[in-house]
Amino acid sequence: MSKKIAIIDPVGVKAGMDYYDIGLLQGLSDLDVETYLFSNVTNDLKSIKNYNVFESFINDNWEKGWKLLKGYWKSFSFCKREKIDWVIIHVFSAQLIYFLFFILARLFGLKIITISHDVNSLADDDNSRFKKLIYKYLSNHIIVHNQYSLLQLKKIIGQKNNFSIIQQGGYPHLIDNTITRNIAKDKLGFSYSKRYILFFGQIKSAKRLDVLIEAMQFIDKDVELIIAGRPWKDDFSKYDKQIKTLKLENKIHKFIRFITDEEREYFMKACDIMVLPYEEVYQSAALLMAMSYGLAIIASDIPSFKEVIRHNDNGILFESLNSKDLSDKLNQLLEEEGR
């Protein structure tokens, strides 16, 4: 493998991929690989050559598509000129525009390492033909993070052996030890006498926030839910309606927006339990983040979580989509922690 590797990532700071990119490139740099990042990230590490070629937030679809093309073209041109033979591209969904970027990379003569985060798009917007072409023919090597993802990938590419399973790591290096629990609660206006459950990250239909909201009606009055994140191809109004119908307005606090790094620190320090009621996910940075901060974890018993969480050891699993089982497990944990 070449001693020069670049990550091409238009998402970056928009969804916490900057943590992932920098952690991966630091690890490669420690192995004497010359590393490059083409994204929208502020990075002062001398070990990573950083280039901001993508913009963070663009609402107009035509403008977004044009600027994506410009960013990829600049990145691939640079890689070709500097003889960076291997580029890493993240895949969350297989659509025409991303298929074309893979084609462009191959036209530049670059070898592609594809990191498949969501083998099947959680927004259900994949094009099956483009997905097969990306994984089976345009990717020189594919990385997934667990056995569940590999099983789903093999349904697309068969037994082809150009893949690796590399578990996603945690984020202990992000923790600011100068921020205490009390400081975090003061910053957020949280009560010292109450306990807080956290739902953190992008709000997607597949994450089943509705199951957690349903469970909250059976939780002790001195325990409140924090929802922190912005919707992604999901309509938060349906959750607002559910909260109002169940009369939970006083038990649920909403921070429905982009969460900054500083705010992330406060939420992770001020809350007691992270709940991940997902119906489907391939891996979860929110789970690894919460574990890095030492939060208690309750998650649905879906295959990808069962590869990380050992029930009643490093977390608690509840029956997926069963809000009553979730509330029972939450109450049990809260009772044990209160002793």
Side-chain angles (χ1 to χ4, degrees):
M1 181 177 286
S2 170
K3 286 292 185 177
K4 292 183 177 182
I5 296 179
I7 291 179
I8 318 295
D9 177 21
V11 177
V13 298
K14 292 187 290 185
M17 286 301 296
D18 49 329
Y19 311 138
Y20 184 106
D21 293 337
I22 291 171
L24 174 55
L25 291 176
Q26 278 186 294
L28 289 169
S29 180
D30 291 342
L31 297 173
D32 295 324
V33 176
E34 194 171 332
T35 57
Y36 300 77
L37 176 59
F38 299 87
S39 188
N40 51 22
V41 175
T42 299
N43 169 41
D44 297 325
L45 293 173
K46 293 181 179 179
S47 60
I48 302 171
K49 296 178 176 63
N50 189 64
Y51 301 90
N52 284 336
V53 297
F54 298 103
E55 295 188 25
S56 297
F57 299 101
I58 304 172
N59 293 322
D60 182 79
N61 287 334
W62 286 104
E63 182 183 4
K64 179 179 179 181
W66 170 243
K67 290 189 174 179
L68 273 176
L69 175 59
K70 285 177 62 179
Y72 276 107
W73 185 276
K74 286 181 181 178
S75 303
F76 295 153
S77 298
F78 184 98
C79 291
K80 180 67 174 179
R81 186 171 63 251
E82 297 298 318
K83 298 181 179 180
I84 302 170
D85 294 326
W86 287 90
V87 297
I88 295 173
I89 299 178
H90 302 298
V91 173
F92 295 91
S93 65
Q95 302 171 44
L96 173 61
I97 189 169
Y98 297 108
F99 166 73
L100 294 176
F101 295 145
F102 270 79
I103 293 289
L104 184 61
R106 295 303 291 267
L107 289 174
F108 271 97
L110 302 171
K111 295 179 181 178
I112 302 173
I113 298 173
T114 299
I115 300 183
S116 179
H117 294 272
D118 297 336
V119 179
N120 298 301
S121 170
L122 297 183
D124 197 28
D125 58 0
D126 281 338
N127 181 295
S128 59
R129 181 178 299 177
F130 294 146
K131 180 161 59 177
K132 185 172 183 179
L133 290 170
I134 286 171
Y135 285 130
K136 194 164 186 177
Y137 300 108
L138 296 176
S139 302
N140 297 93
H141 197 83
I142 304 168
I143 293 172
V144 292
H145 291 312
N146 52 43
Q147 290 287 346
Y148 175 66
S149 296
L150 179 59
L151 178 64
Q152 302 306 310
L153 182 63
K154 284 183 174 181
K155 294 177 181 178
I156 302 168
I157 65 172
Q159 296 299 319
K160 193 175 178 182
N161 62 356
N162 65 331
F163 49 74
S164 302
I165 300 176
I166 302 176
Q167 291 184 332
Q168 188 173 347
Y171 300 94
H173 59 287
L174 295 181
I175 299 173
D176 183 352
N177 292 317
T178 66
I179 304 297
T180 65
R181 181 178 178 82
N182 286 347
I183 289 174
K185 284 198 168 190
D186 287 340
K187 288 286 186 179
L188 295 170
F190 289 2
S191 168
Y192 285 13
S193 61
K194 292 185 178 180
R195 288 179 286 178
Y196 294 92
I197 297 166
L198 179 61
F199 180 97
F200 183 87
Q202 285 189 325
I203 299 166
K204 306 177 182 180
S205 296
K207 292 186 177 182
R208 298 309 300 264
L209 175 58
D210 59 311
V211 175
L212 175 54
I213 293 171
E214 180 79 20
M216 284 302 298
Q217 63 186 314
F218 306 110
I219 304 301
D220 183 270
K221 64 179 181 179
D222 289 326
V223 178
E224 298 180 353
L225 170 62
I226 306 302
I227 304 172
R230 62 189 181 95
W232 179 81
K233 297 186 179 182
D234 197 7
D235 182 5
F236 196 82
S237 64
K238 65 185 180 185
Y239 304 114
D240 271 328
K241 182 177 180 181
Q242 183 186 15
I243 292 167
K244 186 175 181 180
T245 299
L246 297 175
K247 296 181 172 55
L248 294 172
E249 294 97 327
N250 294 328
K251 286 180 66 69
I252 297 178
H253 305 279
K254 299 171 291 186
F255 299 83
I256 312 306
R257 51 181 166 73
F258 175 77
I259 304 299
T260 66
D261 291 350
E262 183 180 20
E263 290 174 317
R264 177 209 71 228
E265 190 76 23
Y266 298 147
F267 285 120
M268 292 289 171
K269 292 284 181 64
C271 293
D272 304 273
I273 301 170
M274 168 79 86
V275 176
L276 302 104
Y278 304 178
E279 181 178 8
E280 182 181 17
V281 75
Y282 291 90
Q283 71 282 316
S284 172
L287 168 62
L288 297 172
M289 184 80 71
M291 295 178 83
S292 299
Y293 277 89
L295 273 73
I297 304 293
I298 297 184
S300 53
D301 61 353
I302 57 178
S304 56
F305 282 157
K306 290 168 77 172
E307 290 190 43
V308 178
I309 299 174
R310 299 179 300 277
H311 182 59
N312 285 333
D313 183 4
N314 64 343
I316 293 174
L317 296 170
F318 75 95
E319 183 183 348
S320 179
L321 304 181
N322 188 335
S323 60
K324 186 61 172 64
D325 189 47
L326 172 55
S327 64
D328 288 344
K329 296 285 176 34
L330 271 168
N331 283 324
Q332 180 183 350
L333 177 60
L334 289 162
E335 182 180 349
E336 291 173 356
E337 287 191 338
R339 290 174 183 169

